[in-house]
Amino acid sequence: MVQKTTDLLLKKGIRLVDYQTTQIRLVQVWDQPSIHQTSDFDQQSGSGSEVIATNNESKGPNKIGDRSTSDVVVRIRTEEGCDDWIYCHSDILINKSKYFADRLSDTWPTCQILDSRNCVEVHCQEHDFDYHITVLRLLYITSDDISSVKNALGTLRVAFELGCPLIVSTCVNYLEAVPWEESEEEEILKIIPAMGPQAEQILARLQPVNQSAIVKIFISAIRFATSSPPSLMSDLKTSAQEQLEYMLTEDDDVPLLTADDQIRLETRKCVNRLLSRFVSIVDSLLGDIQEFLSEVGKMDSFYAILTDLLWVFQIVSKLEISREFVQTWVETSASILKVTEHEFLKTSANGVNTKILEVTSKVLEAIGYGNVVLPTKMRLDMVKMWLPFARLMKCWVDTEIPSGEHDLFLMSDSEIWASLESELVSLILTLPSGDQAEILVEWLDSTKIRYPDLTEAFEVWCHRSKVAKRRLGMVDEKLSSIWLGFGSVSLGFGFDKRVWIISVQSLKHYGDWLRILRFMKNESKGLSKIGDRSTSDVVVRIRTEEGRDDWIYCHTDILINKSKYFADRLSDNWPTGQILDSRNCVEVHCQESDFDYHLTVLRLLYITSDDISSVKTALGTIRVAVELGCSQIVSTCINYLDAVPWEESEEEEILKIIPALGSQAEQILARLQPVNRSAIVKIFLSAVHFATSSPPSSMNDLKTSAQEQLEYMLTEDDDVPLLTADDQIRLETRQCVNKMLARFASLVESLLGDTQELVAEVGKMDSFFAILTDLSWVFQILSKLEISREFVQTWVEISTSILKVTEHELLKGEVNGINSRVLEVTSKVLEAIGYGNVVLPTNKRLHMVKIWLPFVRLMKCWFDSVTSNEETDSFLDTHTEIWASLESAFVSLILTLPSGDQAEILVEWLENEQIRYPDLTEALEVWCRRSKVAKRRLGMLDGNNNKTTKTV
């Protein structure tokens, strides 16, 4: 019977295995039979068949897989083909699992018999197959046999489905007692919450704590992180700093902590203590740095506190309390810079100067972008002090640091240089235009290093300076018609009750009002708060014709003390009044565009901090603050506008609003005022010196910008030229250009000596190409200044040498290279000669035609014959005007020559069957007409001469 049963199971793809351990199971051999085929097994084996276990079981409690005592088979299956038969015991299954208790009860509608035993079939997912086996095994043991969080979660999920409360409890207890990985936490949150009350003890670990507990953690951590603990605790301090920053950071989750007055106050205290220790160390260094350095660990402490300051600035920035930090750094800057001048720090590899540079970068960023508003003098001092230091540090990094350390430094700190450059540009652009000019002249005159690149500031300065007169001239014309309130104001009354109404015509901007939702922010305890109905004694109602209507609970004493408008309307002398909810009510009607700004002004009446976040907000707020007579808010907005950089579109808005403020506007308009002529001349000459100095290729972008701005300064467009040339400007420019021409002539001579050798020298041909490009540009400047004669004469004198250079085989194939640049410059020179801008003798004019006409013809022929490709197409697109210009210049130049020379040139042109460029048809027609009428004209001239002689 045993053999018969075994053979039958094997035919069905089943192998019987003993179940003494977790590894023991019925293992699938082939495709498993369906549930309906199980009855065939019963019929063939017969009920009451004898089954013999494969191993001997010790006497005692029932064991899973024990066929000799089993009275039920549990069959576990998956759709993927896993199929196991486990011999179990109904009393255990019924007592410990609701699922099996239901299916083994007399009332269950279906039942199955296998080998004289009841059979319960369980279908499950592939990933839960092993966990079903585990649950069945755990029903038989009393120990807590769970080995991992993953195992506990899978087992818990299946045990919950099968209604096994003891196993569920075992898994819950295990999960509650062991640590979890972050990935396991996500799995726990997918499974546990569905369990109801049983999940509470596990979820308690993941529940958010109350705000007071978070605040305690934060304050304790900030005290420790800013306490400069001993170096043995550096790792702990670093961890505390990282977690503090993490708590305040908004990423996929909102910040853990929302800052309030208590947090800001405690943080300020901690930071101020840290700053005090830093200032004390700086003072010690100024006293006797050698003595300071002799004390073991002192310099390490100085470096550590600088590192802490760099970190803490991120925290105070997130909490919007960086003002005190910035002010302290500004006040201490002169002393810090004196410390950096010590030889030890100049050459030290400990990175003290680098950390100073990093902290300064953060401070300059806060000032330059208006996060901290400082007076003009402080901003100017910061630029003048730190700009040379940043420049010297960059030079030191680029030239002094050994290559290995240099690469490491650049890898870790390359962002510092870009950040500093951007911040210094922003800061410079907030200064009066005269101060900007002084800084830019010093920068352009620098011969060693051009860091930081102030090109953007230079371009903005040029633009503002050029348009200043037009802008401010337009402003002057409008001032007489602008009312201080920026629009027409009418007073009227509405409703049957007495209500004050003000209508303001203003700019049309609409913004969703959000600030009223923050009216409780930044308020000190014990003081009146906007919106506090319990202490309010007046209601301000703000309305628009479009239907927006807000009621704000305010306080009479604040409104009267800080707003002339409200002081007048809440006085006993004001003829009208209204009562609402036992309070006085003031109603303000405004345009839709000003609705948010009225709310902002009311909020600013209650706070002491400068809570302005953008130029647009400042302009809208100042407009309303002037209407409502809020002088303190007007001053706040002016200080903000004075301290931050502006976009060009914002400058136009500023000029519409600010001039009407009178003397208060001066500090803002100083940035837009035209500078005096001497400053413009200094800028121009410094830029000319640099643009014509043939700087290294690394400065090409800067050189190009300088060239563009010089041309812009001399161009008349909507505005008159920024600069009117005088003898000084012409003299300096001539000197610069002559130096450039001398370098060019020297290169030409070198090429005539040995072109092959010169080309072999890396960068020589690039320099030659670059100087030709510069010559093409500089001719435009000379033409505008009307001093191109020396340039033309020099080009005429060396034309023969230049053409000999272009005949070299290495240069003939240059598509967008040297020959094309030679062609450009020659075009400009011929044009100047041909149109009489520069007067030359006949022999020189003839010489220029005879030597350059063949070159131009060959170049045009070559371009027309080459196979069309992207490179030549691009060249032809950009040089189409050159061919037309050259043709016109040659025609004009030929027509200035004696008729005999003209005839010689025209004969050569007419006999050339290969190419007809340049088209000299116009010259031919003029020559023919002149030749035909010459005898008559000259005969008439002779007749007139005879008559004159007789009269005499």
Side-chain angles (χ1 to χ4, degrees), residues 400-690:
E400 299 296 330
I401 300 181
S403 58
E405 296 178 22
H406 181 262
D407 294 340
L408 180 63
F409 182 88
L410 289 179
M411 286 175 59
S412 60
D413 294 344
S414 56
E415 291 183 4
I416 293 177
W417 306 116
S419 178
L420 265 172
E421 188 170 85
S422 176
E423 291 143 12
L424 286 167
V425 167
S426 295
L427 202 50
I428 290 168
L429 288 175
T430 69
L431 300 174
S433 53
D435 295 322
Q436 292 183 39
E438 182 182 343
I439 294 166
L440 291 171
V441 167
E442 187 271 339
W443 168 67
L444 287 167
D445 286 343
S446 175
T447 56
K448 292 184 178 179
I449 186 169
R450 293 288 175 175
Y451 181 85
D453 184 353
L454 303 182
T455 302
E456 182 183 351
F458 178 45
E459 292 173 353
V460 172
W461 180 89
C462 288
H463 171 72
R464 284 178 177 169
S465 298
K466 188 175 180 183
V467 303
K469 292 181 180 179
R470 172 174 57 85
R471 277 176 165 178
L472 296 176
M474 291 170 61
V475 167
D476 290 341
E477 293 171 6
K478 295 178 180 178
L479 275 179
S480 58
S481 62
I482 298 179
W483 176 72
L484 193 59
F486 314 106
S488 60
V489 179
S490 60
L491 296 178
F493 303 98
F495 306 106
D496 295 333
K497 299 181 179 179
R498 298 171 181 175
V499 184
W500 303 291
I501 304 173
I502 179 169
S503 299
V504 183
Q505 302 297 327
S506 187
L507 301 175
K508 296 183 178 179
H509 297 292
Y510 180 87
D512 295 327
W513 75 281
L514 298 174
R515 296 177 182 86
I516 195 62
L517 300 178
R518 299 162 51 206
F519 57 64
M520 300 301 289
K521 186 179 180 181
N522 295 330
E523 298 295 336
S524 300
K525 294 183 177 180
L527 299 178
S528 298
K529 298 179 182 179
I530 187 171
D532 186 352
R533 188 168 180 174
S534 63
T535 60
S536 166
D537 60 351
V538 62
V539 175
V540 176
R541 185 181 186 186
I542 302 176
R543 305 178 67 182
T544 70
E545 291 182 0
E546 289 76 9
R548 299 179 80 180
D549 190 347
D550 273 340
W551 304 71
I552 301 99
Y553 288 93
C554 301
H555 303 80
T556 302
D557 56 339
I558 290 178
L559 297 184
I560 289 175
N561 291 331
K562 298 185 178 183
S563 167
K564 186 177 184 304
Y565 174 85
F566 288 114
D568 290 342
R569 281 148 186 78
L570 292 171
S571 68
D572 296 335
N573 299 326
W574 195 256
T576 60
Q578 186 181 14
I579 302 299
L580 174 69
D581 193 19
S582 303
R583 298 172 176 85
N584 290 323
C585 178
V586 180
E587 186 165 320
V588 181
H589 279 222
C590 67
Q591 294 294 314
E592 189 76 12
S593 59
D594 283 336
F595 186 85
D596 290 343
Y597 298 126
H598 277 78
L599 296 175
T600 298
V601 167
L602 285 177
R603 182 174 58 83
L604 289 174
L605 293 175
Y606 280 76
I607 65 176
T608 55
S609 61
D610 301 338
D611 195 12
I612 304 293
S613 58
S614 69
V615 172
K616 180 181 177 182
T617 300
L619 289 172
T621 303
I622 200 173
R623 188 172 58 245
V624 174
V626 169
E627 294 166 3
L628 300 182
C630 307
S631 57
Q632 186 175 347
I633 296 175
V634 170
S635 178
T636 297
C637 293
I638 287 176
N639 291 336
Y640 177 84
L641 290 171
D642 175 54
V644 300
W646 312 325
E647 301 290 337
E648 186 176 354
S649 59
E650 293 170 340
E651 291 177 12
E652 301 299 331
E653 289 299 313
I654 286 169
L655 286 169
K656 291 177 183 177
I657 296 173
I658 297 301
L661 295 174
S663 60
Q664 289 179 296
E666 290 179 3
Q667 66 187 91
I668 295 177
L669 295 179
R671 193 185 304 183
L672 302 176
Q673 291 285 356
V675 296
N676 58 59
R677 177 178 170 76
S678 63
I680 298 173
V681 170
K682 286 180 181 178
I683 286 281
F684 182 87
L685 295 179
S686 295
V688 166
H689 279 288
F690 173 69

Side-chain angles (χ1 to χ4, degrees), residues 58-115:
S58 58
K59 294 181 180 180
N62 293 325
K63 297 179 181 178
I64 187 171
D66 187 352
R67 290 180 63 191
S68 62
T69 59
S70 167
D71 60 348
V72 64
V73 175
V74 177
R75 185 183 185 186
I76 302 174
R77 306 180 64 184
T78 70
E79 291 183 359
E80 290 76 10
C82 290
D83 192 345
D84 275 349
W85 305 68
I86 301 107
Y87 287 95
C88 300
H89 304 80
S90 57
D91 57 335
I92 292 176
L93 297 183
I94 290 171
N95 290 332
K96 297 185 178 182
S97 168
K98 186 176 184 302
Y99 176 88
F100 290 114
D102 291 342
R103 281 150 184 78
L104 292 172
S105 67
D106 296 336
T107 58
W108 194 255
T110 60
C111 190
Q112 196 173 14
I113 303 299
L114 175 66
D115 194 22

Side-chain angles (χ1 to χ4, degrees), residues 138 141-147 166 170 173-174:
L138 289 174
I141 64 177
T142 57
S143 62
D144 299 340
D145 193 11
I146 304 293
S147 58
L166 291 178
T170 296
N173 291 337
Y174 177 84

